[in-house]
Amino acid sequence: MSRKLAQAICKRYVDEYPDEVLVAGLYGSYAKGKATTTSDLELVIITRPGSILAERTFLLQDLPVGIFVCSLDKLEAIVSAPSLRWPFQMGVLAILEVLEGDGKIVEQLLERGKEIPTSSFRKELSRVLPKLVWESHGRIHSCITRNDYGALHLSAVEVLCEAKEALCLLNQSWVTNDYLAGLRDSYEFELLPEGWASLVEAIWWEREPKKVAQLTDELVENFVKLLAKEGIPIPRLASIDELML
């Protein structure tokens, strides 16, 4: 039923906006053949530059429907340069099931994303590293110090997901799932911290606070070692005198 609904929505967009819609399709669990009766419906609309169409999220009776809308020129910009948005967008395009429009556009976007030089990914990874891992890792220890155990596991999950984002850039790759399933996708990457898969699983399921802290300490230590081995500098200022340089 939901797949037929996806086809109907995509056709409606093409019929109503024939001069604007280039591609309309399905992604998420339905595109991967993993949908359940409670899965939401996720659609992509790729438009010509300057389109008036916008993203929409709504309930169709009790079914959550999300329609991601992006112009072709903006998608080209996202996939042509490494950033924290690059893995997500490439993952969406990789599983996108085109229901209306020209599927070659999606193939061309994927190829463009794969052509970026390795040096560009490594430079961008170094630039964004201060946004990742360190704050969430420190929050775990703060939670223990404050006896605030309710937020501890969430912080541990943030460490894992942020490290995964960094590994996507390091490996010039992407995942196509969220949360633990997305972390498990990353087990196939070539460049990983030592013990990555076993530590991810242990941290995800562990509930004893001090053990969570111990495991995440080990994971972050191994993550930093991998960065050093691959020659990825972690931006650090020696003093505030360097702040405006």
Side-chain angles (χ1 to χ4, degrees):
M1 178 62 182
S2 295
R3 181 171 292 275
K4 290 182 179 179
L5 177 60
Q7 293 173 329
I9 293 173
C10 289
K11 186 175 187 305
R12 176 69 63 87
Y13 267 88
V14 170
D15 290 345
E16 292 290 329
Y17 305 98
D19 297 327
E20 296 190 46
V21 176
L22 298 172
V23 175
L26 179 66
Y27 76 107
S29 56
Y30 278 98
K32 292 180 287 188
K34 297 181 179 180
T36 69
T37 55
T38 57
S39 295
D40 59 336
L41 195 63
E42 299 172 286
L43 304 173
V44 171
I45 307 292
I46 302 176
T47 68
R48 296 185 189 278
S51 171
I52 63 170
L53 298 181
E55 293 185 21
R56 293 194 64 187
T57 302
F58 55 91
L59 289 175
L60 187 61
Q61 297 180 4
D62 290 327
L63 175 68
V65 180
I67 303 177
F68 172 77
V69 179
C70 194
S71 62
L72 180 58
D73 58 329
K74 290 181 180 179
L75 279 176
E76 288 173 337
I78 293 170
V79 302
S80 297
S83 71
L84 291 177
R85 298 178 65 187
W86 183 92
F88 171 78
Q89 199 59 71
M90 290 291 286
V92 169
L93 293 170
I95 63 171
L96 181 62
E97 179 183 343
V98 176
L99 301 177
E100 295 283 345
D102 186 358
K104 290 183 179 180
I105 290 175
V106 176
E107 295 175 8
Q108 291 167 357
L109 287 168
L110 284 168
E111 286 304 311
R112 180 169 293 197
K114 295 174 183 178
E115 292 171 354
I116 303 172
T118 298
S119 58
S120 296
F121 276 95
R122 296 189 166 221
K123 182 178 179 181
E124 177 64 9
L125 174 56
S126 177
R127 188 187 73 82
V128 301
L129 275 174
K131 301 179 183 179
L132 305 173
V133 177
W134 277 269
E135 180 182 358
S136 49
H137 179 225
R139 196 181 306 119
I140 292 172
H141 291 276
S142 295
C143 287
I144 293 175
T145 301
R146 298 169 183 158
N147 294 321
D148 179 15
Y149 300 129
L152 188 143
H153 188 254
L154 176 60
S155 297
V157 170
E158 287 179 347
V159 169
L160 297 177
C161 291
E162 289 171 5
K164 178 203 67 185
E165 290 185 76
L167 292 173
C168 283
L169 293 181
L170 181 61
N171 287 273
Q172 298 177 228
S173 193
W174 55 85
V175 301
T176 60
N177 289 289
D178 298 321
Y179 304 113
L180 181 56
L183 288 162
R184 287 173 172 167
D185 287 346
S186 73
Y187 297 171
E188 302 300 320
F189 290 172
E190 179 181 356
L191 302 175
L192 292 171
E194 183 179 352
W196 171 250
S198 59
L199 285 169
V200 167
E201 297 290 336
I203 291 167
W204 189 275
W205 298 111
E206 183 60 57
R207 291 299 181 270
E208 199 283 312
K210 290 185 179 180
K211 185 62 174 178
V212 171
Q214 177 187 340
L215 290 166
T216 52
D217 286 350
E218 182 179 352
L219 183 139
V220 171
E221 180 181 352
N222 292 350
F223 176 67
V224 171
K225 286 179 180 178
L226 175 64
L227 294 175
K229 179 182 177 182
E230 294 301 317
I232 310 295
I234 302 170
R236 288 188 173 94
L237 302 183
S239 72
I240 62 170
D241 294 334
E242 301 178 39
L243 187 60
M244 304 309 293
L245 296 180

